[in-house]
Amino acid sequence: MNLFSLMRQFTIRFRMLGAIAVVLVLLGLLGGAGMFGMFRIYSMSEDFMNSSFQEVGYMAQLHSEMGAIRQYEKDMIIGYEKPEAVKAAHTKWLESQENAKKVANQFLQGEEDVDNAVVRDIIKRLDSYKEAFAHVARQLEAGGYDTATIANRMSGKAVAEFAEADKLMKQLDEVLRNEVQKSVAEQQGVSNQTKWLFALAVLITVVVVVPLTLLNMHSICKPLDQAQRLAKAIAGGDLSQSIRTEGRDEVADLLRALDEMQRGLGTLVAQVRDASGNIATASQEIATGNQDLSHRTEQTASNAQAAVSSLSEITATVQQTASSSQMANQLAASASTTATRGGSVVAQAVSSMHEISASSRKIGDIIGLIDSIAFQ
């Protein structure tokens, strides 16, 4: 069984609902791919904002505090002749040290990463710098240096530690820069993956939806075209069409109904044909009967003419008989005088009268028969 026949085993309603379900699943796949990529990018952006971006801010604050440390260091050396100024600068220097350490400790919060080791080295160098410069600061507050050059020379070890911390700051800046670039590259990679995943989902959607839609359309339109041709053929009087019905969908039910209608019409036409044959036979028999009736009518007319001729002869006979009766009356009148002489003649005349009477009755019967025939 091919895919076309398999689809015809389900109703059109079920196939349409299935197509809607497939489209919804594919749309869910598309949306899921997009949402998955968006969530990944959002998560990476949030991680960047919570780590790399904040660390960049911490880096700027640490640069600022370290710059303030060096500035207050210089203020103490330059103002060596003013103990009050040195004391005020020393206080701010200590505050900047604490602030720098606090900012540095911000890097150490959260998960362990590459920059934590560099930050610990910076904190260590700053502690060494603070410890090395603390003696110089106390001497400056006490006015223990005659010139700023001597004080600057005495702070050489501390400056060296700070220079190492400054180098570590550059290293930390490079590490943070690499982390930012890595995060951006990862986000770009996730974005590219999302694009490819979305394109793949679109391709799968097209590959699945388009063939299934075309096949479903073919499974609906082809049987409908067949049903249309069959209906036109039946409407044109052609009841010899061969109908092949397969499947269980609505179009298959329509074709089966058309097949039943064609068979019903064929049976009806056969019945009408048989009835027409019977009518033709009956018409022929009626025509034959009409011809027979016409022949009999002609024969009856001929008999009537013969009866009329006979009636004319009888009429002439009656007239002759009437004349004979008149003559007989005359003879009777003449014979009454000679009755005595013609007894035998009288007897003969009586017998003749009886015969005439019988003939008259026959004539009356014939006239009645002629009247009956004429009436018919």
Side-chain angles (χ1 to χ4, degrees):
M1 181 182 294
N2 55 20
L3 186 58
F4 178 78
S5 300
L6 180 62
M7 291 185 67
R8 292 293 305 281
Q9 299 301 316
F10 302 97
T11 63
I12 297 175
R13 183 180 294 105
F14 180 81
R15 296 204 301 267
M16 296 305 296
L17 291 176
I20 293 173
V22 170
V23 171
L24 290 178
V25 170
L26 292 175
L27 287 177
L29 180 62
L30 286 173
M35 293 298 293
F36 177 72
M38 288 179 61
F39 281 130
R40 289 186 64 188
I41 294 173
Y42 175 78
S43 177
M44 296 181 69
S45 299
E46 188 174 6
D47 291 340
F48 174 78
M49 294 297 295
N50 293 332
S51 60
S52 299
F53 185 76
Q54 288 184 353
E55 288 179 349
V56 171
Y58 298 152
M59 185 70 184
Q61 293 180 16
L62 188 57
H63 268 295
S64 177
E65 295 298 334
M66 290 182 68
I69 291 171
R70 289 305 307 274
Q71 183 63 44
Y72 294 137
E73 175 195 332
K74 292 178 181 179
D75 289 343
M76 284 188 290
I77 293 174
I78 293 172
Y80 70 97
E81 295 179 342
K82 300 176 181 179
E84 295 296 332
V86 172
K87 186 176 181 179
H90 186 210
T91 301
K92 293 182 179 178
W93 179 80
L94 291 174
E95 290 178 356
S96 296
Q97 285 280 349
E98 292 298 326
N99 292 334
K101 194 170 183 179
K102 288 180 181 179
V103 173
N105 286 327
Q106 294 289 335
F107 283 93
L108 302 179
Q109 295 179 359
E111 298 180 357
E112 185 71 20
D113 52 7
V114 179
D115 56 19
N116 288 359
V118 180
V119 171
R120 291 189 182 94
D121 289 340
I122 292 174
I123 294 174
K124 183 178 179 181
R125 294 292 179 178
L126 288 177
D127 289 339
S128 298
Y129 164 75
K130 180 180 179 181
E131 183 179 357
F133 193 76
H135 176 71
V136 177
R138 285 192 297 270
Q139 290 293 325
L140 287 172
E141 285 185 355
Y145 297 110
D146 295 333
T147 62
T149 304
I150 296 174
N152 190 34
R153 189 183 306 119
M154 293 301 296
S155 64
K157 183 179 178 181
V159 171
E161 292 293 334
F162 192 90
E164 291 297 328
D166 193 51
K167 290 179 181 179
L168 291 172
M169 285 292 294
K170 293 179 180 179
Q171 184 179 351
L172 178 61
D173 184 68
E174 185 67 23
V175 170
L176 293 178
R177 193 185 304 275
N178 291 334
E179 287 183 356
V180 171
Q181 291 178 355
K182 181 180 178 182
S183 178
V184 172
E186 288 178 353
Q187 292 187 25
Q188 186 65 34
V190 171
S191 178
N192 292 333
Q193 290 178 3
T194 303
K195 291 178 182 178
W196 283 109
L197 185 62
F198 191 79
L200 179 62
V202 172
L203 180 62
I204 292 174
T205 302
V206 172
V207 170
V208 172
V209 171
V210 173
L212 287 180
T213 302
L214 293 176
L215 185 60
N216 194 20
M217 181 180 66
H218 182 66
S219 67
I220 295 173
C221 294
K222 183 179 179 181
L224 283 178
D225 292 338
Q226 182 182 359
Q228 182 182 13
R229 290 193 300 269
L230 179 62
K232 288 182 178 179
I234 293 174
D238 185 5
L239 301 178
S240 62
Q241 295 292 322
S242 176
I243 302 176
R244 181 184 176 185
T245 304
E246 62 180 5
R248 300 178 181 178
D249 55 1
E250 291 83 353
V251 182
D253 294 338
L254 175 61
L255 289 173
R256 280 189 284 268
L258 289 174
D259 187 23
E260 292 177 0
M261 183 180 71
Q262 180 175 262
R263 289 198 298 269
L265 289 175
T267 302
L268 181 61
V269 169
Q271 293 176 354
V272 171
R273 185 183 296 112
D274 294 339
S276 299
N278 294 332
I279 292 173
T281 302
S283 298
Q284 186 176 2
E285 291 177 354
I286 291 172
T288 303
N290 288 333
Q291 291 179 356
D292 189 17
L293 179 61
S294 177
H295 179 70
R296 291 181 180 180
T297 302
E298 290 179 355
Q299 186 177 2
T300 302
S302 299
N303 293 332
Q305 290 179 357
V308 170
S309 299
S310 299
L311 183 60
S312 298
E313 292 177 357
I314 292 171
T315 303
T317 303
V318 169
Q319 289 177 356
Q320 184 178 2
T321 303
S323 299
S324 299
S325 297
Q326 289 178 358
M327 291 178 64
N329 288 329
Q330 292 176 0
L331 290 173
S334 61
S336 60
T337 56
T338 58
T340 57
R341 293 180 302 171
S344 58
V345 175
V346 173
Q348 186 178 1
V350 172
S351 178
S352 298
M353 289 301 291
H354 282 295
E355 291 177 357
I356 291 170
S357 177
S359 297
S360 297
R361 284 195 301 271
K362 289 181 180 180
I363 290 170
D365 293 334
I366 291 171
I367 291 171
L369 177 61
I370 292 172
D371 289 337
S372 177
I373 292 172
F375 176 77
Q376 292 178 357

